[in-house]
Amino acid sequence: MTAQGHCDPRFARVREVFDASFARGEELGAAFAVYLGGEPVVDLWGGVADRHTGRAWERDTPVLTYSCTKAVTATALLMLAERGLVDVAAPVAEVWPEFAAHGKRDVTVEHVLSHQSGLPALDEEVPIEEFEDHPAIAARLAAQAPIWTPGTAHGYHALTYGFLAGEVVRRVTGRSTGEFVTDEISGPRGLDLWLGAPDAVAARAARMSAGERLGSKGGTTTPPPQGEGTPLERLARAALDKTSLMNRALGNPNPNKLKGGGNHPVILRTGWPAMGLVTTARGLAAFYRDLIAGEILKHDTLRDAVRRRVNGPDRVMIIDSSFGLGYMRPSTNFLTPRRGADTAFGHTGLGGSLGLGDPRHGLAMAYTMNRMTTAGPGVLRAYRLASAAYDCLD
């Protein structure tokens, strides 16, 4: 397959890497976009948006990007902080009084944004009837006790992050995070980016397809005993253990209760603020373009937001992770080319999607795809593309 779209001659290597992923059979459909100094230098796409029908991936094909959402949700909350409507250093309970229950009176907004609140998983299974009732899910979290003392450790709040941060947004503005994003970020900027996709957008979205999963090939089916082995071995064990904190965090509420999982209209429509973003690669890259240009947040706000709040072993994902205020920083869990190790920030999404900004190099990029994978060479697709983009700066 030969990629369609635009690629500045300086970035020819990016096109080669993009095409090579298809040649190796790692892709069904995908897109990659890069801005340099605010100018579009890469806008590539190819493959199929739906493997069942053969529908082609087009220039404007949107797709669910899972946790790439978190950076957009964090940005919405930080916009409120800039306006003096939220104090990130203040307790969440100041705007959400019910949240103070069970020892959470001192949990701050900063704890929520940096995955330190101790609420990475819901205690009770969320029924399908509540999937579109974000306040109801948030109320469940308000009624829980934290798993660890907030502020003493960090662990990836895969789904709960969105209901926590989203409820703060709702309490302050009276709007859902998706409504705020449309009104204040994507709408005014004309970005193809939705947190809660309209029916017409959902209808043309690429359909996700499962790929190779962690522990499915090339590894032991009998993980090492609890507490033993390398971090990657312990990660593999946690992936195979349905009761692990990692699987509890990743699987409740569980989109797979609905036919088609993340492809189901309810999931695309409801816009969970931790994983519901539907966007194009170009739309997500343009979000980071405007972010690093100081057009969404002030430069000082962004500099503080990307400052590492936590770094090291993750209580949920086991391998090292690092976060500022909602944005991932380079770590084992956010692989970044060497040249971006000090200044890159952004967020990955389950299965391989990526959004990244780098103020020092003036780079903004995004990779979207519909063949999900959490193992094997395919997990490096976004990293290879990002590395090629950085290499083209020489």
Side-chain angles (χ1 to χ4, degrees):
M1 188 217 76
T2 300
Q4 300 183 65
H6 162 72
C7 188
D8 186 292
R10 294 172 296 167
F11 287 80
R13 176 59 183 157
V14 173
R15 183 187 287 272
E16 294 174 3
V17 172
F18 188 77
D19 287 345
S21 289
F22 280 93
R24 286 191 296 267
E26 295 172 358
E27 302 283 18
L28 288 172
F32 186 58
V34 181
Y35 288 88
L36 175 63
E39 297 300 319
V41 292
V42 176
D43 185 11
L44 299 174
W45 65 90
V48 296
D50 187 333
R51 67 182 178 90
H52 295 295
T53 66
R55 173 166 57 96
W57 192 294
E58 306 287 353
R59 182 174 187 267
D60 63 348
T61 296
V63 67
L64 184 67
T65 56
Y66 290 92
S67 287
C68 289
T69 310
K70 291 182 175 69
V72 177
T73 294
T75 301
L77 214 164
L78 291 168
M79 290 173 72
L80 297 176
E82 275 194 346
R83 298 171 188 178
L85 299 174
V86 172
D87 180 354
V88 296
V92 172
E94 285 193 5
V95 298
W96 181 5
E98 300 91 331
F99 186 78
H102 301 292
K104 302 193 298 300
R105 184 173 300 279
D106 295 326
V107 177
T108 66
V109 175
E110 181 173 350
H111 289 149
V112 168
L113 288 174
S114 55
H115 300 264
Q116 297 185 78
S117 72
L119 295 168
L122 284 140
D123 288 343
E124 297 180 353
E125 189 172 1
V126 177
I128 291 174
E129 293 74 25
E130 284 186 15
F131 277 18
E132 297 188 81
D133 190 346
H134 300 188
I137 300 174
R140 290 176 177 271
L141 289 166
Q144 287 186 199
I147 293 175
W148 62 77
T149 302
T152 63
H154 77 282
Y156 190 51
H157 289 46
L159 293 171
T160 58
Y161 170 97
F163 299 115
L164 294 168
E167 185 65 7
V168 173
V169 171
R170 190 183 74 85
R171 294 279 174 142
V172 171
T173 68
R175 290 176 282 175
S176 70
T177 308
E179 291 169 337
F180 185 90
V181 168
T182 296
D183 294 344
E184 309 280 353
I185 299 177
S186 60
R189 301 182 178 283
L191 304 181
D192 288 340
L193 186 150
W194 301 269
L195 186 47
D199 290 344
V201 172
R204 60 185 177 85
R207 291 187 61 82
M208 309 304 295
S209 294
E212 186 181 350
R213 296 182 182 276
L214 188 67
S216 62
K217 292 183 181 179
T220 177
T221 57
T222 306
Q226 183 71 27
E228 296 183 9
T230 67
L232 287 178
E233 287 172 333
R234 287 185 281 121
L235 174 62
R237 181 186 64 245
L240 293 170
D241 180 0
K242 293 182 179 180
T243 66
S244 69
L245 182 56
M246 183 176 75
N247 278 326
R248 287 169 53 207
L250 290 168
N252 185 25
N254 186 359
N256 292 322
K257 284 185 173 183
L258 300 169
K259 185 177 180 180
N263 296 314
H264 195 280
V266 166
I267 300 302
L268 299 175
R269 179 175 66 231
T270 189
W272 288 344
M275 55 77 67
L277 187 71
V278 175
T279 184
T280 63
R282 187 174 59 260
L284 186 56
F287 164 78
Y288 280 95
R289 173 201 65 194
D290 293 350
L291 193 56
I292 65 174
E295 296 177 9
I296 300 177
L297 296 173
K298 297 175 183 177
H299 288 297
D300 287 347
T301 302
L302 183 61
R303 273 193 292 269
D304 181 64
V306 302
R307 178 171 57 84
R308 294 178 190 265
R309 267 44 177 209
V310 294
N311 186 51
D314 187 296
R315 289 281 296 269
V316 176
M317 300 305 293
I318 300 170
I319 58 177
D320 286 359
S321 65
S322 183
F323 294 95
L325 295 179
Y327 305 115
M328 281 182 161
R329 296 304 316 281
S331 68
T332 306
N333 207 31
F334 182 47
L335 294 177
T336 307
R338 178 181 53 81
R339 291 181 66 172
D342 293 331
T343 54
F345 70 97
H347 219 290
T348 58
L350 180 68
S353 51
L354 169 72
L356 182 149
D358 186 333
R360 177 183 296 173
H361 294 96
L363 276 177
M365 66 183 78
Y367 164 73
T368 61
M369 49 77 231
N370 63 346
R371 184 176 186 182
M372 298 182 66
T373 183
T374 56
V379 79
L380 297 176
R381 292 169 296 179
Y383 175 77
R384 290 195 295 258
L385 287 165
S387 294
Y390 272 97
D391 289 345
C392 292
L393 299 179
D394 294 328

